[in-house]
């Protein structure tokens, strides 16, 4: 780990050493990635369960920064079944977004690298490991198989192009049907209608600034749905919106999902939204999955102290409490993670084993898994 | 009314704030954005009033006008029974220490070039609230109260996380020994667990110093938790105002009903009978005639399109602006 002087800052010498080291690692990885004509056998793989759309398997995504290696995602495994919604909850900086960016291969390279693990993407008749897929193949998957709805509808749209042109471009680049210009335009207008924009012909030739936040988010959703993706990643799609508009957008997403039988990976920090949308819930903390299960498991029987704390710290309408519960302390520094349970220093339910290594995943039921020694059933401790 | 001035710290009567739209060759005023169009409420000393509504409904404009950060167009703002806008420059300067504000975004509301101790102490020194020799100790004391450490004083805002920055903002407001603090969405930029810390801090400080808050937010669950009274705004008008329990138990105005039904509940089995409002908020530059909500209202009647409903007491202590309750005396209907 990086040495620091007594003020808590890195010395120049130390910073130089780290950045040299980083460049060595990232150059090697980039070289591997930039090879031409990678044979298919290298990235084709098999799904563990053919009913899953995506399987994250022990994913590690690190960022090699000048201040040290940030382990944004540190061993994340979960599945996204076909036609289901998986909610990913956690505080900012816990690696929710980095997990989804890893699936899209949109990480900020060369600093951001997937160093270990597999992400298996179900392509119907075959499956492929996204982490090893070369860029030009990945380009065909984006939009067609996986697409993303971004958080900020203000910044996700280009302010200098018309709405129509921006959606046309997506179809032109990703659609395999080889449509003519007129057909593309038709499809775009159809999409705008589908997401509930009444004046779709008019909006086609408008600029983003002429639309309200809710309308812009609809346009972003239309763009994500342009090529009928199997998996939609919704990265905090309603965080920037008002409750009334949020209700409209959630309704819309639910309808669209039912119509196309796509899977949604729904990332948010709002537990209320998760409860409403998700079939399965994954709770992340400091780059790791601390608890996962069905929505009933998580909301009715939360097991991990972090999940319990998170539930209690949110005020609920109709429930009067004097003071809100607040989780003491703060998230550990991502550059310098402890070698025991990451939540131990903030946890009020510590048991003796918590001083040991990071707790292994323990199963409470078939669907409900938690990483905590309190449920390890005596077999933990190593 | 005269004896009530001691009970209510702040009274706002029919406040209006229009922003002119300039246009044409010589920049004539061609219209007005009616950001706040006749809002009245009052806040009891030592209590918290929540102000909710969609973005663009004029919540923040109300707050900023009360603090005289911008001029009003019409109406009255009475602070301790005195009209804020009639104060002279010198009196206003003294008044500034009594009314403080906590901004929404702790990332942009702190100067990146000043150390934290200076950010908190600047106003105190400027207003000569404590002797220069004691300033340092005073700042330390305030920082302790807000959950900051003494060694944070020499650090710069970029070295802090969002929650801690918000604590710095609170310390800065608190350092001037105010009576009234306007909290303009103080927790909406923060994570859930940090939100809880800040909300608890605000409540503790209120108990300790007897502060009065005007709490602006669009997060209804937070507002319910923290406030004693709640006002709901729509397109520059107050549509409903009452005590928190009453308004959450039995909202009267159709907009309030729809707004409350849109709150997501963290329970997967929760039966949803949600009223999804269609469309979005109309432009305040060209608001619809009659009741401003009639374009999206489920219970729209003929009269709604023509006559603007009066903001009146429809049940004891429960104010509402809606034609549904036109005939009702304060306690017969519902």
């Amino acid at each position: 780990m990086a040495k620091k002087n007594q003020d808590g800052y890195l010395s120049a010498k130390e910073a130089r050493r780290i950045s040299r080291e980083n460049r060595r690692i990232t150059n090697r990885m980039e070289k591997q990635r930039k090879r031409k004509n990678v044979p298919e056998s290298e990235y084709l793989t098999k799904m563990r369960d053919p009913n899953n759309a995506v399987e994250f398997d022990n994913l590690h995504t690190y960022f090699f920064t000048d201040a040290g290696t940030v382990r944004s995602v540190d061993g994340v495994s979960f599945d996204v079944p076909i036609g289901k919604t998986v909610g990913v909850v956690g505080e900012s900086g816990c690696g929710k977004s980095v997990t989804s960016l890893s699936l899209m291969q949109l990480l900020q390279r060369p600093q951001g690298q997937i160093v270990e693990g597999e992400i298996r993407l179900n392509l119907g008749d075959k499956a492929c490991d996204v982490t090893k897929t070369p860029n030009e193949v990945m380009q065909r998957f984006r939009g067609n198989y996986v697409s993303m709805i971004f958080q900020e509808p203000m910044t996700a749209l280009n302010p200098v192009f018309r709405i129509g042109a921006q959606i046309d471009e997506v179809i032109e680049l990703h659609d395999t049907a080889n449509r003519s210009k007129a057909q593309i335009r038709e499809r775009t207008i159809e999409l705008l209608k589908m997401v509930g924009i009444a004046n779709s012909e008019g909006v086609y030739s408008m600029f983003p600034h002429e639309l309200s936040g809710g309308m812009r988010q609809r346009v972003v959703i239309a763009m994500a749905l342009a090529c009928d993706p199997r998996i939609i990643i919704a990265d905090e799609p309603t965080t920037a919106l008002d409750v009334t508009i949020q209700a409209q957008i959630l309704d819309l997403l639910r309808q669209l999902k039912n119509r196309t039988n796509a899977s949604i990976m729904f990332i948010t920090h709002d537990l209320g939204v998760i409860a409403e949308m998700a079939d399965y819930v994954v709770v992340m903390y400091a780059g790791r999955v601390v608890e996962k299960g069905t929505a009933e498991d998580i909301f009715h029987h939360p097991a991990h102290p972090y999940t319990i704390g998170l539930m209690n710290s949110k005020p609920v309408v109709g429930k009067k409490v004097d003071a809100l519960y607040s989780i003491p302390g703060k998230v550990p520094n991502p550059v310098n993670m402890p070698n025991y349970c990451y939540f131990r220093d903030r946890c009020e339910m510590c048991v003796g084993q918590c001083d040991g290594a990071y707790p292994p995943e323990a199963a409470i039921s078939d669907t409900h898994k938690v990483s905590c020694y309190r449920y390890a059933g005596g077999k933990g401790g190593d | 009314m005269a004896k009530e001035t001691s009970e209510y710290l702040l009274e706002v009567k029919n406040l209006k704030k229009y922003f002119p739209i300039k246009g044409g060759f010589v920049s004539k005023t061609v219209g007005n954005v009616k950001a706040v169009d006749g809002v009245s409420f009052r806040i009891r000393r030592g209590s918290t009033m929540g102000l909710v509504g969609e973005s663009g409904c004029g919540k923040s404009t109300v707050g900023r006008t009360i603090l005289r950060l911008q001029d009003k167009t019409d109406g009255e703002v009475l602070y301790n029974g005195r009209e804020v806008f009639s104060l002279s420059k010198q009196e206003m300067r003294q008044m500034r220490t009594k009314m403080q504000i906590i901004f929404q975004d702790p990332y942009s509301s702190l100067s990146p070039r000043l150390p934290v101790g200076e950010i908190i102490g600047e106003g105190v020194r400027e207003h000569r609230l404590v002797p220069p020799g004691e300033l340092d100790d005073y700042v330390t004391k305030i920082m302790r109260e807000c959950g900051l450490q003494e060694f944070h004083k020499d650090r710069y805002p970029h070295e802090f996380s969002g929650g801690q920055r918000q604590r710095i903002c609170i310390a800065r407001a608190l350092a001037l020994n105010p009576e009234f603090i306007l909290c303009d969405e103080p927790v909406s930029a923060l994570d859930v667990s940090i939100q809880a810390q800040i909300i608890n801090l605000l409540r503790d400080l209120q108990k300790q110093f007897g502060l009065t808050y005007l709490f602006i937010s669009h997060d209804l669950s937070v507002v319910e938790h923290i406030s004693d009274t709640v006002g709901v705004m729509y397109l520059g008008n107050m549509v409903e105002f009452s005590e928190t329990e009453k308004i959450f138990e039995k909202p009267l105005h159709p907009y309030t009903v729809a707004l409350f039904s849109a709150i997501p509940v963290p329970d997967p089995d929760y039966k949803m009978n949600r009223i999804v409002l269609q469309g979005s908020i109309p432009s305040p530059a060209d608001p619809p005639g009659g009741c401003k909500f009639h374009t999206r209202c489920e219970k729209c009647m003929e009269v709604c399109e023509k006559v603007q409903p009066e903001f009146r007491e429809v049940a004891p202590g429960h104010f509402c602006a809606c034609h549904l309750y036109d005939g009702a005396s304060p306690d017969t209907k519902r």
Side-chain angles (χ1 to χ4, degrees):
Chain A
M1 257 312 96
K3 273 181 257 153
K4 293 190 173 174
N5 60 16
Q6 67 262 44
D7 296 331
Y9 297 104
L10 284 177
S11 69
K13 195 176 163 199
E14 188 65 17
R16 273 200 301 278
R17 189 191 65 76
I18 292 172
S19 72
R20 244 198 326 272
E21 177 80 353
N22 285 346
R23 218 167 313 136
R24 199 175 56 78
I25 298 170
T26 50
N27 279 350
R28 199 188 60 220
M29 287 178 158
E30 285 298 293
K31 208 169 161 191
Q32 177 80 7
R33 171 152 277 285
K34 279 193 187 132
R35 285 172 305 150
K36 294 227 165 67
N37 303 325
V38 183
E40 267 200 343
S41 59
E42 239 179 68
Y43 55 86
L44 278 188
T45 174
K46 263 212 166 107
M47 301 300 282
R48 192 159 27 77
D49 180 352
N51 290 326
N52 286 339
V54 189
E55 290 169 357
F56 290 92
D57 195 353
N58 197 24
L59 177 71
H60 289 71
T61 304
Y62 292 178
F63 285 86
F64 296 94
T65 70
D66 286 358
T69 306
V70 176
R71 300 176 181 201
S72 284
V73 175
D74 200 9
V76 162
S77 318
F78 65 90
D79 303 334
V80 182
I82 290 173
K84 299 282 184 199
T85 305
V86 175
V88 183
V89 223
E91 287 174 86
S92 45
C94 74
K96 316 184 287 285
S97 294
V98 175
T99 308
S100 63
L101 289 176
S102 305
L103 170 59
M104 291 284 278
Q105 284 284 20
L106 287 177
L107 291 167
Q108 176 72 47
R109 265 197 286 270
Q111 303 92 316
Q113 297 284 355
I114 298 172
V115 293
E116 206 189 319
E118 281 189 1
I119 304 171
R120 288 185 289 266
L121 183 63
N122 195 345
L123 304 177
D125 47 346
K126 51 188 183 175
C128 93
D129 180 0
V130 170
T131 57
K132 299 197 182 69
T133 310
N135 276 340
E136 62 270 17
V137 182
M138 199 61 219
Q139 175 69 9
R140 293 206 301 271
F141 297 160
R142 288 189 207 119
N144 293 332
Y145 287 96
V146 200
S147 74
M148 194 156 179
I149 301 166
F150 291 94
Q151 173 174 8
E152 295 247 344
M154 313 289 165
T155 49
L157 294 170
N158 192 331
V160 297
F161 289 105
R162 292 178 196 275
I163 300 290
Q166 297 192 41
I167 302 179
D168 282 354
E169 190 187 6
V170 177
I171 301 171
E172 214 175 300
L173 278 177
H174 293 291
D175 201 73
T176 42
N178 262 336
R179 297 169 202 251
S180 67
K181 275 251 150 68
Q183 280 170 319
I184 291 176
R185 186 193 146 94
E186 213 169 279
R187 168 82 179 142
T188 303
I189 290 173
E190 185 194 318
L191 280 166
L192 289 174
K193 270 199 197 114
M194 190 168 80
V195 294
I197 294 177
N199 174 22
S200 51
E201 299 260 347
V203 169
Y204 184 87
S205 51
M206 277 186 190
F207 284 102
H209 72 261
E210 295 175 76
L211 301 173
S212 67
M215 290 290 256
R216 270 182 246 187
Q217 194 58 279
R218 283 167 196 269
V219 171
V220 174
I221 292 174
M223 205 185 277
L225 296 176
C227 303
D228 290 322
R230 308 267 181 83
I231 301 130
I232 303 162
I233 304 171
D235 190 355
E236 312 222 7
T238 58
T239 309
L241 304 174
D242 284 315
V243 268
T244 50
I245 309 295
Q246 170 173 299
Q248 291 175 6
I249 297 288
L250 294 182
D251 247 25
L252 171 70
L253 274 175
R254 218 174 299 133
Q255 279 169 24
L256 293 174
K257 193 202 82 170
N258 291 341
R259 200 184 307 167
T260 58
N261 199 29
S263 315
I264 300 184
M265 187 173 149
F266 201 96
I267 301 172
T268 180
H269 60 251
D270 189 334
L271 290 164
V273 174
I274 283 278
E276 204 167 283
M277 294 292 294
D279 303 304
Y280 297 95
V281 180
V282 175
V283 185
M284 286 185 71
Y285 179 74
R288 296 237 193 185
V289 174
V290 293
E291 189 171 359
K292 59 187 173 192
T294 61
E296 281 79 27
D297 288 340
I298 302 286
F299 283 95
H300 295 324
H301 316 285
H304 197 278
Y306 176 67
T307 319
I308 298 170
L310 210 57
M311 302 260 181
N312 289 342
S313 55
K314 175 100 183 132
V316 177
V317 171
K319 237 189 247 169
K320 204 78 193 153
V321 282
D322 201 39
L324 288 174
Y325 175 77
S326 71
I327 304 173
K330 55 180 187 186
V331 186
N333 183 347
V335 181
N336 206 349
M337 280 296 186
N339 52 7
Y340 44 84
C341 173
Y342 296 165
F343 194 62
R344 193 196 72 171
D345 295 337
R346 304 175 74 185
C347 186
E348 289 175 349
M349 305 176 191
C350 277
V351 292
Q353 293 155 324
C354 290
D355 296 333
Y358 193 87
E361 199 174 82
I364 295 178
S365 68
D366 283 349
T367 49
H368 195 177
K369 310 264 172 23
V370 60
S371 289
C372 181
Y373 278 121
R374 296 195 307 137
Y375 302 93
K379 58 184 188 270
D382 51 347
Chain B
M1 275 308 219
K3 53 180 182 208
E4 277 183 347
T5 47
S6 57
E7 194 187 340
Y8 295 101
L9 181 71
L10 185 79
E11 250 183 286
V12 177
K13 285 183 193 163
N14 204 21
L15 183 71
K16 287 182 185 166
K17 174 69 193 172
Y18 297 168
F19 293 101
I21 306 168
K22 304 271 180 172
F25 177 57
V26 285
S27 307
K28 280 194 300 198
T29 303
V30 293
N32 281 312
V33 175
K34 296 180 177 175
V36 179
D37 196 13
V39 165
S40 315
F41 59 88
R42 48 195 185 182
I43 308 176
R44 202 169 264 129
R45 200 174 284 276
S47 73
T48 305
M49 173 175 160
L51 199 55
V52 294
E54 286 174 87
S55 50
C57 73
K59 312 185 289 285
S60 295
T61 311
V62 167
R64 283 158 175 270
T65 315
I66 289 171
L67 293 192
R68 209 177 160 181
L69 294 176
Q70 61 200 16
D71 271 325
K72 63 175 181 180
T73 306
D74 196 17
E76 283 177 75
V77 180
L78 301 177
Y79 184 84
N80 258 336
R82 293 193 65 188
E83 166 67 55
V84 173
F85 283 86
S86 69
L87 296 176
S88 71
K89 213 173 172 187
Q90 238 137 44
E91 285 172 316
M92 194 59 220
R93 199 178 140 79
Q94 278 175 3
M95 186 64 102
R96 293 258 182 243
T97 67
K98 300 284 167 223
M99 305 162 96
Q100 281 295 312
I101 180 167
I102 299 165
F103 293 99
Q104 169 173 14
D105 185 2
Y107 293 88
S108 56
S109 60
L110 294 170
S111 166
R113 296 183 174 226
L114 290 182
V116 169
E118 180 63 21
I119 288 175
I120 298 169
E122 193 180 22
V124 183
R125 196 178 45 209
E126 197 61 23
H127 286 282
R128 298 194 184 84
L129 293 180
V130 295
E134 293 166 27
L135 179 67
D136 207 44
D137 292 338
Y138 181 74
V139 171
T140 311
K141 191 184 120 232
I142 293 288
M143 285 174 72
R144 285 257 166 75
E145 263 151 18
C146 296
L148 295 162
Q149 303 290 316
E150 198 182 341
F151 65 86
H152 287 151
K153 217 185 270 178
D154 301 321
R155 299 206 170 171
Y156 287 87
H158 74 262
E159 298 174 61
F160 292 89
S161 63
Q164 278 191 310
R165 282 183 210 214
Q166 203 56 286
R167 283 175 194 273
I168 297 169
C169 291
I170 294 172
R172 174 173 64 181
L174 203 67
L176 293 172
N177 202 13
E179 291 171 339
F180 172 76
I181 298 182
L182 168 68
C183 310
D184 192 355
E185 311 227 14
V187 295
S188 51
L190 306 174
D191 274 319
V192 184
S193 67
I194 311 294
Q195 256 185 24
Q197 290 176 11
I198 298 294
I199 291 169
N200 285 343
L201 173 68
L202 284 171
R203 281 185 79 126
D204 290 345
L205 294 173
Q206 180 168 40
K207 275 182 204 143
Q208 200 178 340
F209 298 99
L211 298 170
T212 308
Y213 293 139
L214 176 59
F215 196 92
I216 298 175
S217 179
H218 63 253
D219 189 337
L220 292 154
S221 48
V222 171
V223 167
E224 196 219 11
H225 177 75
I226 201 163
S227 14
D228 302 302
T229 52
V230 176
V232 182
M233 282 187 71
Y234 184 76
L235 210 59
N237 284 106
M238 188 79 92
V239 295
E240 195 163 355
F241 175 79
S242 183
E243 281 157 37
T244 310
E245 289 91 43
K246 277 188 195 162
I247 206 167
F248 275 87
E249 207 172 278
K250 203 171 70 183
L252 295 180
H253 197 281
Y255 176 65
T256 319
V257 176
L259 197 64
F260 287 3
S261 80
I263 309 169
V265 180
D267 180 356
D269 297 341
Y270 183 74
K271 262 261 183 283
M272 255 180 302
N273 39 9
R274 163 167 300 160
I275 306 161
V276 177
L277 284 179
Q278 292 309 314
S280 54
I281 194 163
S283 159
D286 181 25
C291 173
K292 285 182 181 171
F293 186 58
H294 84 255
T295 50
R296 297 168 81 189
C297 187
E298 272 197 328
K299 296 175 178 162
C300 183
M301 300 177 291
E302 221 170 279
V303 60
C304 299
E305 288 167 30
K306 293 178 191 110
V307 189
Q308 183 166 9
E310 195 190 339
F311 186 62
R312 50 192 277 277
E313 195 167 11
V314 292
H318 202 144
F319 295 82
C320 180
C322 182
H323 288 303
L324 282 177
Y325 308 98
D326 264 353
S329 69
D331 33 25
T332 48
K333 195 144 189 181
R334 279 222 200 171

